[in-house]
Amino acid sequence: MSAANLAQSVGRELPYLRRYARALTGSQKAGDNYAAATLEAILSDRSVLDGENDTRIGLFRAFHAIWQSSGEPVEEIELSAREKGAQDRLRKLTPNSREALLLRTIEELRYDQIAHIMEISQPEAEELIQIALNEMSDSIAGRIMVIEDETIIAMDLKGIVQAMGHNVTGVARTHSAAIELADSERPDLILADIQLADGSSGIDAVNDLLHDLGEIPVIFITAFPDRLLTGDRPEPAFLISKPYNEEQVRSAVSQAMFFATTEGLEV
């Protein structure tokens, strides 16, 4: 593959690597540091991708080599109290379990692809995913706000998170309704669509909520993921594409709540 074709191919997959890295680290900055380090490794030694028929799998495999050798953010960054607490909890989980779970649920990779990326056997990959599901199911229960204008989807999301043991503070269909709902009960997590009923923006609603309420984890569930994978603005650590499945939502909610502050939450 020529240098130009390689750059084009890697460029197509980079937004999804950044999505995965952010979900894995719980931080846009830390995740992007890892993604940048992966690109630097490939640019300095193109043989990293030799023998890979699928650029995406090769890119994720190169990322994991760096992730496994580092174990900490590639560049020293200042972490918030929430992020420090989350990192402490991460160290107590079974090694490699969250990686396997995210590759399966958020990136929707096959078990054999996950095994190849992580350089383990397929049965090991399957076992790690089950371990992660068990460990993450014991995560903190909290208050979740849903910002979604489609009634059927809103009710589906509400049912999924309630079945996980969380309390849904309510469903908002517009920007103004989201602000009012947050004023009545502060959420610990926000599930949000991008396009809302009155033509308003879920992104703007979330930004206003975070400005007023402070640091709260957000999961965007949208048919327009490209709008949040540009790298040009602050981006959520968790992003699910529509159509979604229940396993994706459960995984993302568990991960996001894991990174949430423990203050005021039920354990």
Side-chain angles (χ1 to χ4, degrees), residues 1 15 28 47 53 56 60 63 66 73 75 80 126 133 140 153-154 167 183 219 228 234 244 252 263:
M1 184 183 298
Q28 179 181 347
S47 67
N53 296 322
R56 185 183 188 192
F60 275 72
F63 171 93
I66 294 171
E75 294 179 10
S80 66
E126 295 176 12
L133 289 170
I140 300 164
I153 294 177
N167 175 51
D183 285 341
I219 301 171
L228 287 164
Y244 61 84
E263 183 179 356

Side-chain angles (χ1 to χ4, degrees), residues 94-105 109-133 247:
T94 301
N96 296 322
S97 58
R98 287 183 61 255
E99 292 87 333
L101 179 63
L102 287 170
L103 288 170
R104 176 63 177 170
T105 57
L109 299 182
R110 302 190 309 266
Y111 290 116
D112 62 309
Q113 292 174 320
I114 296 169
H116 181 63
I117 288 169
M118 300 180 66
E119 297 186 353
I120 57 178
S121 68
Q122 183 169 326
E124 286 179 295
E126 295 176 12
E127 182 181 10
L128 283 172
I129 291 167
Q130 189 57 55
I131 289 172
L133 289 170
E247 185 181 43

Side-chain angles (χ1 to χ4, degrees), residues 17 26 35 45 87 96 107 121 134-135 155-156 166 193 233:
L17 180 70
D45 182 7
Q87 291 302 320
N96 296 322
E107 301 307 323
S121 68
N134 294 337
E135 292 182 342
M155 293 302 99
D156 184 49
H166 302 295
D193 192 4
R233 68 179 77 186

Side-chain angles (χ1 to χ4, degrees), residues 117-254:
I117 288 169
M118 300 180 66
E119 297 186 353
I120 57 178
S121 68
Q122 183 169 326
E124 286 179 295
E126 295 176 12
E127 182 181 10
L128 283 172
I129 291 167
Q130 189 57 55
I131 289 172
L133 289 170
N134 294 337
E135 292 182 342
M136 299 304 290
S137 68
D138 296 328
S139 63
I140 300 164
R143 303 173 295 271
I144 298 179
M145 172 195 288
V146 177
I147 305 175
E148 171 61 63
D149 64 332
E150 295 185 42
T151 303
I152 293 177
I153 294 177
M155 293 302 99
D156 184 49
L157 293 173
K158 182 177 179 180
I160 291 172
V161 298
Q162 286 180 330
M164 296 175 68
H166 302 295
N167 175 51
V168 176
T169 64
V171 176
R173 301 181 68 246
T174 65
H175 180 288
S176 59
I179 301 300
E180 291 177 9
L181 181 58
D183 285 341
S184 63
E185 185 174 3
R186 185 185 192 278
D188 302 307
L189 170 67
I190 299 171
L191 291 176
D193 192 4
I194 289 180
Q195 283 190 185
L196 302 182
D198 59 353
S200 59
S201 165
I203 298 173
D204 291 341
V206 166
N207 286 337
D208 288 345
L209 288 171
L210 296 183
H211 179 270
D212 294 338
L213 302 176
E215 202 169 17
I216 296 175
V218 178
I219 301 171
F220 276 103
I221 304 177
T222 176
F224 308 98
D226 53 303
R227 297 187 187 180
L228 287 164
L229 291 173
T230 63
D232 295 332
R233 68 179 77 186
E235 298 174 350
F238 302 95
L239 177 61
I240 298 175
S241 301
K242 290 180 180 178
Y244 61 84
N245 59 55
E246 181 176 343
E247 185 181 43
Q248 289 176 309
V249 176
R250 291 177 63 88
S251 173
V253 169
S254 293

